[in-house]
Short mmCIF file of all heavy atoms in Angstrom, two decimals:
data_model
loop_
_atom_site.label_atom_id
_atom_site.label_comp_id
_atom_site.label_asym_id
_atom_site.label_seq_id
_atom_site.Cartn_x
_atom_site.Cartn_y
_atom_site.Cartn_z
N LYS A 27 82.98 97.80 75.14
CA LYS A 27 81.75 98.50 74.64
C LYS A 27 82.19 99.81 74.21
O LYS A 27 81.42 100.50 73.52
CB LYS A 27 80.82 98.60 75.69
CG LYS A 27 80.03 97.36 76.19
CD LYS A 27 79.13 96.86 75.05
CE LYS A 27 78.36 95.76 75.45
NZ LYS A 27 77.53 95.19 74.40
N SER A 41 70.55 97.79 83.72
CA SER A 41 69.59 96.97 82.78
C SER A 41 70.10 95.51 82.89
O SER A 41 69.34 94.58 82.70
CB SER A 41 69.64 97.47 81.41
OG SER A 41 70.84 97.28 80.77
N ASP A 45 76.48 96.14 88.65
CA ASP A 45 77.12 97.45 88.97
C ASP A 45 78.13 97.89 88.06
O ASP A 45 78.87 97.08 87.35
CB ASP A 45 77.79 97.37 90.39
CG ASP A 45 76.74 97.03 91.44
OD1 ASP A 45 75.77 97.64 91.54
OD2 ASP A 45 76.99 96.03 92.12
N PHE A 63 79.30 93.76 92.16
CA PHE A 63 80.34 94.41 93.07
C PHE A 63 80.47 93.53 94.26
O PHE A 63 81.68 93.36 94.75
CB PHE A 63 80.03 95.83 93.27
CG PHE A 63 81.00 96.44 94.26
CD1 PHE A 63 82.28 96.83 93.66
CD2 PHE A 63 80.80 96.78 95.41
CE1 PHE A 63 83.25 97.45 94.41
CE2 PHE A 63 81.77 97.50 96.27
CZ PHE A 63 83.01 97.76 95.64
N LYS A 78 98.09 86.24 102.05
CA LYS A 78 98.70 86.42 103.34
C LYS A 78 99.04 85.00 104.07
O LYS A 78 100.03 84.94 104.68
CB LYS A 78 97.66 87.21 104.28
CG LYS A 78 98.27 87.80 105.45
CD LYS A 78 97.22 88.63 106.20
CE LYS A 78 96.98 89.99 105.63
NZ LYS A 78 96.12 90.80 106.39
N ARG A 97 134.90 80.98 126.64
CA ARG A 97 134.79 80.02 125.52
C ARG A 97 133.50 79.21 125.61
O ARG A 97 132.82 79.17 124.58
CB ARG A 97 135.99 79.15 125.63
CG ARG A 97 136.02 78.25 124.34
CD ARG A 97 137.30 77.33 124.34
NE ARG A 97 137.39 76.45 125.64
CZ ARG A 97 136.65 75.33 125.79
NH1 ARG A 97 135.90 74.96 124.82
NH2 ARG A 97 136.82 74.68 126.91
N ASN A 115 114.99 82.07 111.14
CA ASN A 115 114.98 83.39 111.45
C ASN A 115 116.32 84.14 111.22
O ASN A 115 117.43 83.45 111.24
CB ASN A 115 114.77 83.56 113.05
CG ASN A 115 113.39 82.94 113.39
OD1 ASN A 115 112.40 83.34 112.81
ND2 ASN A 115 113.33 82.12 114.50
N ARG A 122 128.13 94.28 123.41
CA ARG A 122 127.88 95.52 124.29
C ARG A 122 129.24 95.93 125.02
O ARG A 122 129.71 95.10 125.69
CB ARG A 122 126.75 95.27 125.33
CG ARG A 122 126.47 96.56 126.10
CD ARG A 122 125.26 96.35 127.10
NE ARG A 122 125.51 95.09 127.95
CZ ARG A 122 124.77 94.10 128.10
NH1 ARG A 122 123.70 94.03 127.38
NH2 ARG A 122 125.09 93.15 128.89
N THR A 146 130.44 77.86 111.42
CA THR A 146 131.02 77.06 110.33
C THR A 146 131.33 75.67 110.82
O THR A 146 131.16 74.62 110.19
CB THR A 146 132.18 77.85 109.64
OG1 THR A 146 131.71 79.13 109.21
CG2 THR A 146 132.69 77.15 108.38
N VAL A 150 126.54 74.89 110.39
CA VAL A 150 125.30 75.70 110.19
C VAL A 150 125.52 76.48 108.92
O VAL A 150 126.46 77.30 108.82
CB VAL A 150 125.12 76.55 111.40
CG1 VAL A 150 123.91 77.57 111.24
CG2 VAL A 150 124.84 75.71 112.74
N LEU A 154 126.04 86.12 105.66
CA LEU A 154 126.36 87.35 106.46
C LEU A 154 125.70 88.62 105.76
O LEU A 154 126.15 88.95 104.68
CB LEU A 154 127.87 87.56 106.59
CG LEU A 154 128.33 88.67 107.42
CD1 LEU A 154 127.94 88.36 108.94
CD2 LEU A 154 129.87 88.72 107.49
N ASP A 157 128.06 92.94 107.86
CA ASP A 157 129.29 92.71 108.71
C ASP A 157 129.34 93.56 109.95
O ASP A 157 128.44 94.41 110.21
CB ASP A 157 130.46 93.08 107.77
CG ASP A 157 131.76 92.43 108.29
OD1 ASP A 157 131.67 91.46 109.00
OD2 ASP A 157 132.86 92.86 107.85
N GLU A 161 127.46 100.75 116.45
CA GLU A 161 126.23 101.55 116.63
C GLU A 161 126.26 102.01 118.04
O GLU A 161 125.72 101.31 119.00
CB GLU A 161 125.02 100.70 116.49
CG GLU A 161 124.92 99.98 115.05
CD GLU A 161 123.81 98.96 114.89
OE1 GLU A 161 123.51 98.35 115.89
OE2 GLU A 161 123.11 98.91 113.90
#
Side-chain angles (χ1 to χ4, degrees):
K27 292 290 186 180
S41 68
D45 300 304
F63 184 66
K78 201 177 279 186
R97 184 180 58 82
N115 298 316
R122 183 178 53 235
T146 307
V150 176
L154 187 60
D157 201 18
E161 300 171 320

